[in-house]
Amino acid sequence: MEIPDWKQIIKKVRKTAKKLIIKTLKLVKRSGKRIVLRLYHIETKIIPVQKDVIIFESNMGRNYTGNPKRIYEEMVQKGLDNKYRCYIILDDLSTYVPGKAKKIKRTRTLYFMIMGIAGIWVSDCRQPGYIIKRKGVHYIQTWHGTPLKKLALDMDSVNMAGETDILKYKQSFYKNTRTWDYLISQNHFSTEIFRRAFAFDKTVLEIGYPRNDILFSGNTSENIARLKKKMGLPADKKILLYAPTWRDNEYYEKGAYKFNQALDFNIFREKLGDDYVCIVKYHYLVKETLDWSVFRDFVYNYDMCEDIAQLYLVADMLITDYSSVMFDYSILKRPILFYTYDLEEYKNNLRGFYFDFLEEAPGPITRTTGELIDSILNYRAEDYASKYDAFHNKYNHADDGNASKKVVQLIQDIIAGAEEAEDSAAYTVNTGKLCRK
């Protein structure tokens, strides 16, 4: 009679039990979600909308940055966080948020409870399809940048993680934009594109971006020195900010994109390390855990939770590609250099551009690490003065350092039930420009 191998039997039992436990937990989780969604749907039918409940969300809750952050902090400055019930949607609840706002995690029970009654939504991203926009809710879509790359209904194809069907993508986008009541635009160029690409026929607030207000109020030598000290940056070297965008077709999974290291940082450090340091700032959709320690004291990496506006202020030069950071940094009138190693591929096969990038770019366009280094070392502002002035006038004409104040005034008027705020076609925000269809 063969003696059983008890070790193998126990191993198989444990493996089977583990699979059953995981399967059971998944079923419980799915059932829990269904129950929460059912309760959320009931809530939206029986509990009135609370106009003084305001939610703020940046980048699908991945961080506390950008336009929603600046609008909320303007409310804190005015003491309105004591008057209204403010909620910040965040993945990381340990993130520091000033004022009286409560932090809630996306897709959790409390999130659905608050979304079900909030009277004002302030967000720079699209809301999930399962969230219901109720009658009486005012949605201020702040968006997140002036577009160089084609957007939404203007796109001819889509090749993003989890998205390949262009018709389905456009239908989803169109359905989402039906929920927006106000849309913030940085400039007239964006306004025209947003109208078409989002099929948006409600109120566009062409007032500049709230996130850029700090580039006016914080652009002082004292503040810049304080920020450098806070960030651990050397005071005796020039600072390069490398902030590229993400590539639609380079990803790990949906919502997690790769950081392409086409730039040779070894050569970069060798040629520039004596006089420069380089800040590397990923796009918030990029999920990488690269080890930058080999470039210690030359490369300073800041994660997606770092507010890029502060990095603009400390940077002497911006290096980017097709990112909308160019339209914000140009407010400072500091050098912008473009590292576009994949220009033809990006322009012709991934997105397509809204304007002649080669013609309008307000700085040198480079394709290799060597060309970029040469452009940094030999940069002369006078060589690009004409292009830079034209770029600044076209894309920064509405930015005046007061956008946050204008949006907060709008929020106050909505909550007060002001007649002009209820009729979006008649609303003008201070000196901001109302753009009608």
Side-chain angles (χ1 to χ4, degrees), residues 30 42 65 105 120 129 205 224 269 292 302 305 325 357 432:
R30 282 199 292 269
I42 293 170
T65 59
K105 202 160 187 174
I120 297 177
L205 303 173
I224 291 169
R269 178 175 57 179
W292 292 100
Y302 293 92
C305 295
V325 298
F357 176 67

Side-chain angles (χ1 to χ4, degrees), residues 222-268:
E222 295 82 7
N223 185 52
I224 291 169
R226 182 186 64 80
L227 288 174
K228 285 183 178 180
K229 186 176 180 180
K230 176 186 172 185
M231 296 177 188
L233 295 167
D236 59 344
K237 291 188 177 184
K238 292 181 180 179
I239 296 175
L240 306 170
L241 171 58
Y242 180 44
T245 192
W246 51 288
R247 270 43 178 186
D248 301 44
N249 62 343
E250 296 179 7
Y251 55 86
Y252 295 109
E253 60 185 7
K254 186 175 181 179
Y257 290 82
K258 298 179 180 180
F259 178 75
N260 191 305
Q261 294 192 75
L263 187 61
D264 190 327
F265 282 93
N266 286 299
I267 298 176
F268 218 48

Side-chain angles (χ1 to χ4, degrees), residues 49-51 53-55 113-121 137:
V49 169
Q50 308 294 305
K51 278 194 172 183
V53 175
I54 310 170
I55 66 101
M113 287 176 62
I114 299 304
M115 290 302 293
I117 62 168
I120 297 177
W121 301 351
V137 173

Side-chain angles (χ1 to χ4, degrees), residues 158-339:
V158 63
N159 185 23
M160 301 179 191
E163 298 278 2
T164 55
D165 186 330
I166 186 62
L167 181 60
K168 186 177 178 182
Y169 177 78
K170 287 183 176 183
Q171 288 172 338
S172 173
F173 219 113
Y174 178 82
K175 182 179 179 182
N176 206 279
T177 60
R178 300 312 88 202
T179 64
W180 303 353
D181 297 299
Y182 302 91
L183 175 58
I184 297 178
S185 168
Q186 188 178 11
N187 44 57
H188 187 65
F189 169 81
S190 295
T191 298
E192 294 297 302
I193 289 172
F194 289 167
R195 287 287 191 203
R196 182 184 65 249
F198 299 148
F200 186 75
D201 59 1
K202 296 181 185 177
T203 304
V204 174
L205 303 173
E206 195 177 290
I207 57 174
Y209 276 143
R211 69 186 184 198
N212 291 334
D213 289 349
I214 194 174
L215 301 184
F216 293 86
S217 62
N219 190 20
T220 65
S221 56
E222 295 82 7
N223 185 52
I224 291 169
R226 182 186 64 80
L227 288 174
K228 285 183 178 180
K229 186 176 180 180
K230 176 186 172 185
M231 296 177 188
L233 295 167
D236 59 344
K237 291 188 177 184
K238 292 181 180 179
I239 296 175
L240 306 170
L241 171 58
Y242 180 44
T245 192
W246 51 288
R247 270 43 178 186
D248 301 44
N249 62 343
E250 296 179 7
Y251 55 86
Y252 295 109
E253 60 185 7
K254 186 175 181 179
Y257 290 82
K258 298 179 180 180
F259 178 75
N260 191 305
Q261 294 192 75
L263 187 61
D264 190 327
F265 282 93
N266 286 299
I267 298 176
F268 218 48
R269 178 175 57 179
E270 178 187 338
K271 300 295 184 181
L272 300 173
D274 290 342
D275 300 308
Y276 294 85
V277 294
C278 182
I279 295 173
V280 176
K281 179 68 170 71
Y282 302 152
H283 188 279
Y284 81 91
L285 287 174
V286 169
K287 297 291 181 70
E288 288 283 9
T289 54
L290 298 176
D291 181 11
W292 292 100
S293 61
V294 292
F295 300 106
R296 193 182 306 279
D297 297 328
F298 177 67
V299 171
Y300 293 75
N301 174 232
Y302 293 92
D303 68 17
M304 67 175 184
C305 295
E306 185 71 35
D307 194 331
I308 197 170
Q310 295 190 357
L311 302 183
Y312 293 152
L313 287 171
V314 301
D316 296 289
M317 287 183 170
L318 171 69
I319 303 167
T320 188
D321 42 23
Y322 324 109
S323 170
S324 64
V325 298
M326 70 178 84
F327 303 105
D328 297 337
Y329 192 78
S330 57
I331 291 171
L332 298 172
K333 286 292 192 79
R334 299 178 193 171
I336 303 176
L337 299 92
F338 298 89
Y339 179 55

